[in-house]
Amino acid sequence: MDEFDESYKGTPPWDIGRAQREIVLLGTTGEIKGSILDIGCGTGENSFYFAKHGHDVVGIDSSTRAIQKTREKAKERGFTEVTFKLVDALNLSELNRKFDNAIDCGLFHTFTDIQRGKFVKSIRSILTTNGKYFMLCFSELEPLD
């Protein structure tokens, strides 16, 4: 079982019920064009945002509960064109597909230093030649409260 599964028994604090403001900004400014892999998609809010705006989106998470909740939300909201898969972010090559963009809202900082190196290689395996990776994460300068 994934370490985040317990968090999805309820509503985890990072699930704000809408796309993250910074992710929306990337969409509205045209910074993101083409297909998108939402890595660590949680319950899918960022994926839904981009699908609503015509992007080809695949959301992945390693939490069974997160993917189950996301698929339920997708069905309730009528998002039949978004695919959600249970995939380990350190093995993205298993998707056998390339994307123009990868977005990551809060996953990178959960990895150890060794895992981060593997994650970078994993992302490279799914990005097109000019593909872009967008990360939203905590900083060491972030207040602890």
Side-chain angles (χ1 to χ4, degrees), residues 86-107:
L86 188 64
V87 176
D88 179 353
L90 300 178
N91 295 305
L92 296 173
S93 62
E94 292 176 4
L95 291 168
N96 293 315
R97 179 168 173 199
K98 298 284 186 180
F99 295 87
D100 300 309
N101 305 277
I103 60 172
D104 164 7
C105 268
L107 182 62

Side-chain angles (χ1 to χ4, degrees), residues 47 58 66:
S47 295
V58 173

Side-chain angles (χ1 to χ4, degrees), residues 22-64:
E22 292 80 4
I23 295 297
V24 171
L25 186 60
L26 290 171
T28 58
T29 60
E31 185 68 34
I32 291 184
K33 295 178 177 73
S35 59
I36 300 167
L37 178 63
D38 185 358
I39 306 170
C41 67
T43 61
E45 296 297 341
N46 294 324
S47 295
F48 296 138
Y49 169 79
F50 283 114
K52 182 179 176 181
H53 290 88
H55 292 272
D56 173 18
V57 182
V58 173
I60 64 109
D61 207 292
S62 60
S63 167
T64 304

Side-chain angles (χ1 to χ4, degrees), residues 61-80:
D61 207 292
S62 60
S63 167
T64 304
R65 282 194 177 107
I67 291 297
Q68 180 182 354
K69 284 186 168 193
T70 303
R71 289 176 177 162
E72 290 168 6
K73 266 191 198 179
K75 188 175 179 179
E76 289 169 7
R77 296 180 187 183
F79 282 102
T80 57

